Amino acid sequence: MPIYQTGGYEVNPSAIPKVKQAIAEFVEYVKANEPGTEMYLAWQEKDNPAKFLHLFIFKDAEAAKKHGESDAVRKFESVYSPELVGGGVVFTDYEMPAGKRDVRN
């Protein structure tokens, strides 16, 4: 059963460039190494560019576990974690009662 999840956080404004670079590198890793991660999007808030929201769809619990235990996650966390403001990353699980996905990407 698919797992739908978001992870939101805010970083120090001075850290935005390095966090964005780390996001880009991390997403490339996910694309190349995590076939069970069916979707991984990283969004940056327009009105507050220090806020980020990541959207995930994992094929199943095993794919989510593989993602969460990867060395790439630890590397990414080492970049943004020291820069967090207003608390840690807030992960939220969802169900999808309806939707549309373009899977050409």
Side-chain angles (χ1 to χ4, degrees):
M1 172 179 295
I3 295 173
Y4 306 96
Q5 189 177 67
T6 63
Y9 57 94
E10 183 173 358
V11 299
N12 289 309
S14 63
I16 292 171
K18 82 174 180 181
V19 170
K20 285 179 69 172
Q21 178 62 38
I23 290 169
E25 292 172 10
F26 181 60
V27 171
E28 286 305 312
Y29 168 86
V30 171
K31 287 180 184 179
N33 297 285
E34 294 186 10
T37 301
E38 296 180 347
M39 183 187 81
Y40 191 107
L41 302 174
W43 291 353
Q44 183 179 21
E45 190 173 309
K46 281 187 172 186
D47 292 338
N48 182 353
K51 286 187 176 181
F52 294 89
L53 181 67
H54 296 238
L55 298 93
F56 327 111
I57 300 176
F58 299 108
K59 179 180 177 181
D60 53 26
E62 184 61 34
K65 180 180 178 190
K66 178 181 176 184
H67 172 82
E69 294 178 350
S70 73
D71 288 336
V73 164
R74 285 186 284 287
K75 180 180 176 187
F76 178 46
E77 288 172 339
S78 76
V79 174
Y80 74 74
S81 290
E83 304 297 343
L84 290 172
V85 296
V89 178
V90 176
F91 290 99
T92 307
D93 293 319
Y94 290 88
E95 293 182 2
M96 186 173 70
K100 176 195 178 294
R101 287 179 45 208
D102 183 348
V103 293
R104 290 179 288 167
N105 193 355

